[in-house]
Amino acid sequence: MKNFLTMVRELPFAMKILLACNAARSLSFFAILAYMPIYLYDTVGMSGSTIGYVIGGSVLVGTIASVYGGYLADRVTKINLVIVLDIVIILLYLSLTVIHDPFTVTAVLLLTNVASSTMGVAGSALLSDLVPPENRTKVFSLRYSLQNIGAAVGPFLGVAAVAVGSGGPFVLSVGIIGASLLPLILFRQRFLTAVGEKAPSAVEEPAAEPVLERVEEESEEETPKFRQVLKVMGTDRRLMYFTIGGILSIVAYGPLLTFMSQYLIMVEDRATAYELVAYISAANAVVVIASQYVLGSRLKQDTLLRWLTIGSAAFVVGLLAMSLSTNAIVLVVAVAVFSLGEVVVVPAEFTFIDSIAPEKLRGSYFGAQNLIHIGISLGPILCGFLLQHFAPVVMFYVLIAIVVASWWFYVIGCRATTPVRASVKVETSA
């Protein structure tokens, strides 16, 4: 705990503001997420199936668009991009309080998810700019803890805001984002100074990664086009393997509550299923929030594969235990073990991508890595198919196989680290 407080105190002032803003955005996002299906059904008049397509499709479009969002973060001043995106999101949320046409609302949700995904990528890149390499894993873990606190508290605030009116959650989110935007604007110069002070020290350090430095020098001489950046990332097998591994991994842990709800409603009566889902949700939130920094801060670049193996093993053990019984105690213990995998894997992925990304392409690399969220939309579809056509317990065995496959992609991604750099150099200089 003392080390944690020391690390927080030593963070740059701008970084503390950025973390607080990330927590606020998470709070506002989850306040709306819990309310969105109700809003689309009652206020906009969409059917249940249409709501699924709209929400799922918006998330998918935003995830894919974040690849270009990462490229954009590399081309402009990141703090300015974050401020502009906050303003855009505020305006889009406000529009939903007065616009009820289904097609227009769908367009607004698409734009909101594009802005939100780009915000996440730009925030990760800005975090890397502000924090020394030795502290980035700890800060990634701290940020993820704050986001999960927002995920736990946000839905309750959203439900309370509904009492104000149909647009209550949107107004609440606008207020939260607006309050977090104010310090970004007031202390914008602090961010510019912090990033500007970091750059000279990076140049003065000994050349530990000569190939990546050549990449940065060449990108300074001539700003690469988006197509060129895609070509560089496409030839980086490390990025490709970790992105595939991340997609497969998040299929298992991303939609945990969704696929467990799908499963429990088939094997238990409705009242019991609802009660068990509540236990699962609470167990997941408590474990992630309580252990994220404790475990995440222990990650080191040279031990990432070991930790990814531990995290994947936790997923496998948790899924196997979930398949054995629907007893509340067994499920809570199983979910607690499973959640430890999430606690390890998420910061490990960020740490690896941060370590392989060239300085001038960090936003682009985080944008590509953000594609792992495609797995969140694939998970419920896959689990629904398995539950419909096979015995319910088969779902867990397939998810275990997917976790093992994701671990293998992490392994070959880590092993590909050294020999791939030459190919990146050639592609960048071409």
mmCIF file of all heavy atoms in Angstrom, residues 67-68 71 224-236 239 361 364 368 371:
data_model
loop_
_atom_site.group_PDB
_atom_site.id
_atom_site.type_symbol
_atom_site.label_atom_id
_atom_site.label_comp_id
_atom_site.label_asym_id
_atom_site.label_seq_id
_atom_site.Cartn_x
_atom_site.Cartn_y
_atom_site.Cartn_z
ATOM 1 N N VAL A 67 -9.050 2.180 -35.205
ATOM 2 C CA VAL A 67 -7.751 1.998 -35.866
ATOM 3 C C VAL A 67 -7.314 3.318 -36.495
ATOM 4 O O VAL A 67 -6.160 3.743 -36.343
ATOM 5 C CB VAL A 67 -7.834 0.891 -36.934
ATOM 6 C CG1 VAL A 67 -6.496 0.760 -37.679
ATOM 7 C CG2 VAL A 67 -8.197 -0.452 -36.286
ATOM 8 N N TYR A 68 -8.249 3.968 -37.189
ATOM 9 C CA TYR A 68 -7.918 5.287 -37.745
ATOM 10 C C TYR A 68 -7.802 6.318 -36.630
ATOM 11 O O TYR A 68 -7.000 7.253 -36.718
ATOM 12 C CB TYR A 68 -8.980 5.736 -38.745
ATOM 13 C CG TYR A 68 -8.605 7.042 -39.428
ATOM 14 C CD1 TYR A 68 -7.724 7.056 -40.501
ATOM 15 C CD2 TYR A 68 -9.126 8.261 -38.976
ATOM 16 C CE1 TYR A 68 -7.359 8.242 -41.121
ATOM 17 C CE2 TYR A 68 -8.763 9.449 -39.580
ATOM 18 C CZ TYR A 68 -7.886 9.434 -40.650
ATOM 19 O OH TYR A 68 -7.521 10.616 -41.242
ATOM 20 N N TYR A 71 -4.329 6.335 -35.471
ATOM 21 C CA TYR A 71 -3.483 7.045 -36.439
ATOM 22 C C TYR A 71 -3.649 8.555 -36.263
ATOM 23 O O TYR A 71 -2.673 9.310 -36.279
ATOM 24 C CB TYR A 71 -3.884 6.630 -37.853
ATOM 25 C CG TYR A 71 -3.285 7.468 -38.956
ATOM 26 C CD1 TYR A 71 -1.965 7.286 -39.367
ATOM 27 C CD2 TYR A 71 -4.048 8.442 -39.601
ATOM 28 C CE1 TYR A 71 -1.419 8.054 -40.388
ATOM 29 C CE2 TYR A 71 -3.507 9.212 -40.616
ATOM 30 C CZ TYR A 71 -2.193 9.007 -41.008
ATOM 31 O OH TYR A 71 -1.655 9.782 -42.018
ATOM 32 N N PRO A 224 3.982 9.675 -42.353
ATOM 33 C CA PRO A 224 3.446 8.549 -43.113
ATOM 34 C C PRO A 224 1.942 8.680 -43.321
ATOM 35 O O PRO A 224 1.229 9.207 -42.472
ATOM 36 C CB PRO A 224 3.783 7.345 -42.227
ATOM 37 C CG PRO A 224 3.859 7.906 -40.848
ATOM 38 C CD PRO A 224 4.420 9.295 -41.008
ATOM 39 N N LYS A 225 1.478 8.194 -44.458
ATOM 40 C CA LYS A 225 0.055 8.156 -44.728
ATOM 41 C C LYS A 225 -0.577 6.997 -43.959
ATOM 42 O O LYS A 225 0.102 6.076 -43.518
ATOM 43 C CB LYS A 225 -0.206 7.988 -46.225
ATOM 44 C CG LYS A 225 0.462 9.049 -47.095
ATOM 45 C CD LYS A 225 -0.079 10.436 -46.796
ATOM 46 C CE LYS A 225 0.558 11.471 -47.738
ATOM 47 N NZ LYS A 225 0.121 12.850 -47.415
ATOM 48 N N PHE A 226 -1.903 7.040 -43.842
ATOM 49 C CA PHE A 226 -2.607 5.993 -43.112
ATOM 50 C C PHE A 226 -2.344 4.632 -43.745
ATOM 51 O O PHE A 226 -2.146 3.639 -43.038
ATOM 52 C CB PHE A 226 -4.111 6.301 -43.108
ATOM 53 C CG PHE A 226 -4.931 5.314 -42.331
ATOM 54 C CD1 PHE A 226 -4.621 5.007 -41.018
ATOM 55 C CD2 PHE A 226 -6.029 4.688 -42.918
ATOM 56 C CE1 PHE A 226 -5.383 4.096 -40.291
ATOM 57 C CE2 PHE A 226 -6.790 3.784 -42.199
ATOM 58 C CZ PHE A 226 -6.471 3.490 -40.896
ATOM 59 N N ARG A 227 -2.313 4.573 -45.052
ATOM 60 C CA ARG A 227 -2.052 3.314 -45.738
ATOM 61 C C ARG A 227 -0.666 2.780 -45.398
ATOM 62 O O ARG A 227 -0.477 1.573 -45.218
ATOM 63 C CB ARG A 227 -2.183 3.509 -47.252
ATOM 64 C CG ARG A 227 -2.013 2.240 -48.072
ATOM 65 C CD ARG A 227 -2.166 2.532 -49.547
ATOM 66 N NE ARG A 227 -1.152 3.483 -49.995
ATOM 67 C CZ ARG A 227 -1.084 3.952 -51.251
ATOM 68 N NH1 ARG A 227 -1.985 3.594 -52.147
ATOM 69 N NH2 ARG A 227 -0.136 4.810 -51.584
ATOM 70 N N GLN A 228 0.309 3.679 -45.302
ATOM 71 C CA GLN A 228 1.664 3.268 -44.951
ATOM 72 C C GLN A 228 1.735 2.735 -43.517
ATOM 73 O O GLN A 228 2.433 1.759 -43.235
ATOM 74 C CB GLN A 228 2.631 4.444 -45.125
ATOM 75 C CG GLN A 228 2.774 4.912 -46.565
ATOM 76 C CD GLN A 228 3.577 6.188 -46.662
ATOM 77 O OE1 GLN A 228 3.385 7.113 -45.865
ATOM 78 N NE2 GLN A 228 4.485 6.254 -47.631
ATOM 79 N N VAL A 229 1.011 3.404 -42.620
ATOM 80 C CA VAL A 229 0.986 2.952 -41.229
ATOM 81 C C VAL A 229 0.340 1.567 -41.137
ATOM 82 O O VAL A 229 0.830 0.681 -40.415
ATOM 83 C CB VAL A 229 0.224 3.958 -40.347
ATOM 84 C CG1 VAL A 229 0.028 3.403 -38.940
ATOM 85 C CG2 VAL A 229 0.980 5.280 -40.275
ATOM 86 N N LEU A 230 -0.745 1.354 -41.872
ATOM 87 C CA LEU A 230 -1.383 0.042 -41.891
ATOM 88 C C LEU A 230 -0.427 -1.022 -42.413
ATOM 89 O O LEU A 230 -0.407 -2.160 -41.918
ATOM 90 C CB LEU A 230 -2.645 0.072 -42.766
ATOM 91 C CG LEU A 230 -3.852 0.834 -42.230
ATOM 92 C CD1 LEU A 230 -4.982 0.793 -43.250
ATOM 93 C CD2 LEU A 230 -4.319 0.255 -40.897
ATOM 94 N N LYS A 231 0.384 -0.649 -43.398
ATOM 95 C CA LYS A 231 1.348 -1.594 -43.961
ATOM 96 C C LYS A 231 2.403 -1.971 -42.929
ATOM 97 O O LYS A 231 2.789 -3.135 -42.788
ATOM 98 C CB LYS A 231 2.002 -0.982 -45.201
ATOM 99 C CG LYS A 231 2.872 -1.959 -45.989
ATOM 100 C CD LYS A 231 3.396 -1.309 -47.254
ATOM 101 C CE LYS A 231 4.238 -2.296 -48.063
ATOM 102 N NZ LYS A 231 4.778 -1.671 -49.302
ATOM 103 N N VAL A 232 2.892 -0.968 -42.185
ATOM 104 C CA VAL A 232 3.875 -1.233 -41.138
ATOM 105 C C VAL A 232 3.282 -2.157 -40.079
ATOM 106 O O VAL A 232 3.903 -3.152 -39.677
ATOM 107 C CB VAL A 232 4.346 0.087 -40.484
ATOM 108 C CG1 VAL A 232 5.196 -0.195 -39.250
ATOM 109 C CG2 VAL A 232 5.126 0.923 -41.488
ATOM 110 N N MET A 233 2.072 -1.858 -39.624
ATOM 111 C CA MET A 233 1.447 -2.686 -38.581
ATOM 112 C C MET A 233 1.116 -4.077 -39.102
ATOM 113 O O MET A 233 1.212 -5.063 -38.378
ATOM 114 C CB MET A 233 0.192 -1.995 -38.044
ATOM 115 C CG MET A 233 0.476 -0.695 -37.303
ATOM 116 S SD MET A 233 -0.946 -0.068 -36.377
ATOM 117 C CE MET A 233 -2.114 0.257 -37.716
ATOM 118 N N GLY A 234 0.730 -4.153 -40.384
ATOM 119 C CA GLY A 234 0.390 -5.443 -40.966
ATOM 120 C C GLY A 234 1.569 -6.389 -41.068
ATOM 121 O O GLY A 234 1.395 -7.613 -41.078
ATOM 122 N N THR A 235 2.785 -5.845 -41.153
ATOM 123 C CA THR A 235 3.974 -6.691 -41.237
ATOM 124 C C THR A 235 4.570 -6.992 -39.860
ATOM 125 O O THR A 235 5.532 -7.745 -39.768
ATOM 126 C CB THR A 235 5.058 -6.011 -42.095
ATOM 127 O OG1 THR A 235 5.366 -4.728 -41.549
ATOM 128 C CG2 THR A 235 4.586 -5.847 -43.532
ATOM 129 N N ASP A 236 4.040 -6.403 -38.835
ATOM 130 C CA ASP A 236 4.530 -6.652 -37.480
ATOM 131 C C ASP A 236 3.780 -7.854 -36.903
ATOM 132 O O ASP A 236 2.656 -7.731 -36.408
ATOM 133 C CB ASP A 236 4.326 -5.410 -36.605
ATOM 134 C CG ASP A 236 5.092 -5.507 -35.289
ATOM 135 O OD1 ASP A 236 5.351 -6.642 -34.846
ATOM 136 O OD2 ASP A 236 5.444 -4.446 -34.727
ATOM 137 N N LEU A 239 2.364 -7.640 -33.243
ATOM 138 C CA LEU A 239 1.083 -6.957 -33.095
ATOM 139 C C LEU A 239 -0.058 -7.851 -33.569
ATOM 140 O O LEU A 239 -1.104 -7.939 -32.916
ATOM 141 C CB LEU A 239 1.105 -5.648 -33.882
ATOM 142 C CG LEU A 239 -0.191 -4.837 -33.908
ATOM 143 C CD1 LEU A 239 -0.556 -4.365 -32.504
ATOM 144 C CD2 LEU A 239 -0.061 -3.629 -34.847
ATOM 145 N N LEU A 361 4.288 5.933 -33.561
ATOM 146 C CA LEU A 361 3.132 5.146 -34.007
ATOM 147 C C LEU A 361 2.394 4.514 -32.831
ATOM 148 O O LEU A 361 1.646 3.569 -33.012
ATOM 149 C CB LEU A 361 3.590 4.037 -34.971
ATOM 150 C CG LEU A 361 4.240 4.465 -36.284
ATOM 151 C CD1 LEU A 361 4.588 3.241 -37.120
ATOM 152 C CD2 LEU A 361 3.332 5.391 -37.069
ATOM 153 N N SER A 364 -1.375 4.534 -33.154
ATOM 154 C CA SER A 364 -1.811 3.594 -34.184
ATOM 155 C C SER A 364 -1.777 2.162 -33.661
ATOM 156 O O SER A 364 -2.686 1.362 -33.927
ATOM 157 C CB SER A 364 -0.914 3.719 -35.422
ATOM 158 O OG SER A 364 -1.002 5.016 -35.976
ATOM 159 N N ALA A 368 -4.904 -0.428 -33.245
ATOM 160 C CA ALA A 368 -4.989 -1.797 -33.762
ATOM 161 C C ALA A 368 -5.303 -2.778 -32.640
ATOM 162 O O ALA A 368 -6.116 -3.701 -32.796
ATOM 163 C CB ALA A 368 -3.671 -2.167 -34.441
ATOM 164 N N LEU A 371 -8.866 -3.487 -31.512
ATOM 165 C CA LEU A 371 -9.706 -4.403 -32.277
ATOM 166 C C LEU A 371 -10.079 -5.645 -31.477
ATOM 167 O O LEU A 371 -10.982 -6.386 -31.876
ATOM 168 C CB LEU A 371 -8.994 -4.821 -33.568
ATOM 169 C CG LEU A 371 -8.848 -3.743 -34.651
ATOM 170 C CD1 LEU A 371 -8.022 -4.270 -35.807
ATOM 171 C CD2 LEU A 371 -10.211 -3.276 -35.144
#
